[in-house]
């Protein structure tokens, strides 16, 4: 018989909670190791479990963490296969990603989506996962809906509001903020270009077309063929003029920035002040917002205008190809604008006047 003097176990006591946490972590570690031992068999079992227990949030969390661990730790090994194994392994890897997506899609809340963003760091599939999350969030708001130009989505915005603080807090230096290829930075980029495409077209189409038509020489490297110190000094003056043209157009069109974009940049500024405010006496918020706005939103569109559909097809149905000189000029303009946003100076002597 039980001793009536024994005290019942307090499930909320720190020691019990700690033991339960350790047990959970060891179970996840064991499942991950079993999965590693035979990926194909492991995937079969984990796929069946996700289908059988899809109503259990706890099971989905465990499956998500196991899949994430395998994708992160063994992802690089999927490319190290023999010719005969390659198709089979690649198929298993694709199925794993599909299962991961299905697990995340199921719950109506964002618990698992938040877990995915905060645990999957800079992997080769960060952009794929971010793209899946975009589709999932848009679909949860309106079935069969895909992210479209100018469309906003409360689910994506809400998710970003939760994961941006995590991204900022995990960054050591202000200068490296949003530089890593994480799910957060990829998702921010995808969402900004979805809700901000109209702004980019309004602000950048005209100056880019003017540059393509004029094809100016903006080379600032005196070691390039046909260039010397004197010619580079003249080119620097031209570069400053063209960079100013792009900047003024960006400023004049700021009224076309959507509330979603403004809200996102506001979060970046607030969280950056919390993290780096004590390190920087002034300019922390400006550097964080300006740095992200140009690094992940404006500059990629300037450097690759065809990708962002910023060049007219002139009725031919296809966008014109850019010359090497045009691409080089756009890249140099990007460097000037990015330095301006970051508050950094050019070290080259012939570039000092731009500083």
């Amino acid at each position: 018989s039980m001793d009536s003097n024994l005290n019942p176990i307090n499930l909320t006591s720190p020691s019990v909670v700690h033991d339960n946490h350790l047990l959970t972590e060891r179970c996840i570690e064991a499942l991950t190791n079993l999965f590693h031992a035979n990926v194909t068999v492991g995937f079969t079992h984990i796929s069946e479990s996700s289908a059988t227990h899809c109503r259990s949030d706890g099971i989905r969390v465990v499956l998500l963490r196991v899949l994430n661990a395998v994708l992160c730790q063994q992802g690089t090994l999927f490319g190290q296969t023999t010719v005969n194994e390659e198709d089979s392994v690649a198929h298993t890897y694709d199925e794993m990603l599909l299962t991961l997506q299905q697990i995340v899609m199921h719950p109506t809340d964002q618990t698992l989506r938040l877990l995915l963003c905060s645990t999957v760091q800079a992997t080769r599939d960060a952009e794929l996962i971010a793209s899946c999350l975009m589709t999932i969030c848009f679909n949860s708001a309106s079935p069969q809906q895909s992210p479209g130009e100018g469309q906003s989505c409360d689910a994506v915005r809400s998710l970003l509001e939760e994961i941006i603080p995590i991204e900022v807090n995990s960054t050591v230096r202000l200068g490296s903020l949003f530089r890593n290829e994480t799910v957060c930075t990829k998702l921010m980029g995808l969402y900004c270009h979805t809700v901000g495409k109209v702004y980019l077209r309004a602000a950048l189409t005209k100056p880019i077309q003017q540059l393509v038509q004029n094809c100016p020489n903006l080379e600032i490297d005196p070691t390039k063929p046909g260039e010397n110190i004197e010619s580079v000094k003249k080119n620097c003056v031209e570069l400053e003029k063209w960079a100013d043209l792009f900047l003024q157009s960006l400023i004049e069109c700021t009224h076309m920035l959507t509330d979603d974009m403004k809200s996102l940049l506001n979060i970046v500024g607030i969280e950056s002040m919390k993290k780096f405010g004590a390190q920087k006496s002034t300019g922390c918020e400006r550097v964080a917002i300006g740095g992200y706005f140009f690094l992940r939103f404006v500059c990629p569109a300037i450097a690759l205008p065809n990708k962002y559909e910023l060049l007219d097809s002139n009725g031919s149905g296809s966008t014109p190809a850019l010359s090497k000189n045009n691409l080089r000029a756009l890249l140099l303009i990007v460097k000037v604008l990015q330095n301006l946003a970051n508050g950094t100076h050019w070290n080259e002597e012939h570039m000092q006047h731009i500083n």
Side-chain angles (χ1 to χ4, degrees):
S1 61
M2 294 183 60
D3 189 339
S4 59
N5 294 324
L6 290 176
N7 294 323
I9 297 175
N10 182 4
L11 297 178
T12 62
S13 68
S15 60
V16 173
V17 171
H18 178 262
D19 290 343
N20 285 337
H21 174 72
L22 287 179
L23 178 61
T24 301
E25 294 302 312
R26 294 297 176 268
C27 287
I28 292 174
E29 183 179 352
L31 286 171
T32 303
N33 290 336
L34 285 171
F35 203 128
H36 276 302
N38 192 318
V39 174
T40 303
V41 174
F43 171 74
T44 301
H45 285 286
I46 207 168
S47 180
E48 291 174 355
S49 297
S50 66
T52 305
H53 303 288
C54 63
R55 293 185 178 182
S56 170
D57 286 342
I59 293 294
R60 284 198 301 272
V61 168
V62 170
L63 294 177
L64 177 61
R65 291 190 58 186
V66 171
L67 276 174
N68 173 49
V70 173
L71 286 170
C72 289
Q73 297 173 19
Q74 193 165 337
T76 56
L77 300 179
F78 283 102
Q80 303 172 8
T81 58
T82 65
V83 175
N84 294 332
E85 295 174 327
E86 187 172 349
D87 291 341
S88 175
V89 173
H91 179 67
T92 301
Y93 186 60
D94 291 340
E95 285 189 331
M96 286 171 60
L97 289 176
L98 178 60
T99 300
L100 188 63
Q101 177 185 350
Q102 292 172 340
I103 294 173
V104 177
M105 285 178 67
H106 186 273
T108 54
D109 60 59
Q110 294 195 145
T111 304
L112 296 185
R113 293 194 275 274
L114 178 60
L115 176 63
L116 182 62
C117 290
S118 60
T119 57
V120 178
Q121 294 303 314
T123 71
R124 64 184 178 133
D125 294 307
E127 187 166 5
L128 173 60
I129 293 173
S131 179
C132 289
L133 286 171
M134 278 279 288
T135 302
I136 291 166
C137 290
F138 270 87
N139 241 283
S140 66
S142 178
Q144 308 305 318
Q145 179 185 4
S146 297
E149 181 178 318
Q151 291 181 341
S152 63
C153 179
D154 291 340
V156 180
R157 187 169 58 251
S158 176
L159 181 58
L160 286 172
E161 288 174 356
E162 293 192 72
I163 64 177
I164 287 175
I166 297 174
E167 182 76 16
V168 174
N169 286 328
S170 65
T171 304
V172 178
R173 297 183 300 104
L174 177 62
S176 62
L177 186 61
F178 301 122
R179 261 60 176 182
N180 294 325
E181 302 296 314
T182 63
V183 175
C184 178
T185 57
K186 290 295 184 181
L187 185 60
M188 288 175 71
L190 289 172
Y191 191 60
C192 284
H193 283 102
T194 298
V195 300
K197 205 167 189 177
V198 174
Y199 168 77
L200 288 178
R201 283 181 176 168
L204 296 178
T205 297
K206 186 176 179 179
I208 289 176
Q209 288 179 343
Q210 288 179 356
L211 183 138
V212 172
Q213 291 169 3
N214 288 274
C215 199
N217 179 14
L218 307 182
E219 185 55 63
I220 58 173
D221 185 353
T223 65
K224 293 286 185 179
E227 302 296 341
N228 53 54
I229 295 297
E230 292 304 316
S231 66
V232 164
K233 286 182 179 179
K234 294 179 182 179
N235 295 344
C236 284
V237 175
E238 284 297 306
L239 175 58
E240 187 175 6
K241 290 180 180 178
W242 279 98
D244 186 64
L245 175 67
F246 275 74
L247 182 60
Q248 291 306 316
S249 184
L250 289 166
I251 293 172
E252 289 170 4
C253 294
T254 50
H255 65 281
M256 300 189 71
L257 283 171
T258 63
D259 290 340
D260 293 271
M261 279 290 300
K262 295 175 183 177
S263 175
L264 200 64
L265 295 173
N266 185 52
I267 295 171
V268 169
I270 291 174
E271 296 302 324
S272 299
M273 283 297 295
K274 291 179 182 177
K275 172 72 175 183
F276 303 106
Q279 301 176 20
K280 299 279 184 178
S281 56
T282 58
C284 169
E285 195 173 15
R286 177 189 62 80
V287 171
I289 295 176
Y292 174 78
F293 183 75
F294 282 91
L295 175 69
R296 294 289 182 178
F297 183 56
V298 171
C299 289
I302 296 176
L304 299 170
N306 280 332
K307 178 181 178 180
Y308 293 91
E309 301 175 351
L310 298 178
L311 288 174
D312 289 338
S313 61
N314 298 321
S316 63
S318 59
T319 55
L322 295 174
S323 67
K324 289 184 178 180
N325 189 63
N326 285 333
L327 290 172
R328 176 64 175 168
L330 290 171
L331 180 61
L332 291 170
I333 290 170
V334 162
K335 288 185 176 181
V336 173
L337 294 178
Q338 192 64 61
N339 274 13
L340 178 65
N342 294 340
T344 55
H345 289 169
W346 294 86
N347 295 322
E348 296 85 346
E349 184 178 350
H350 55 275
M351 297 293 293
Q352 294 300 312
H353 72 279
I354 292 185
N355 291 336

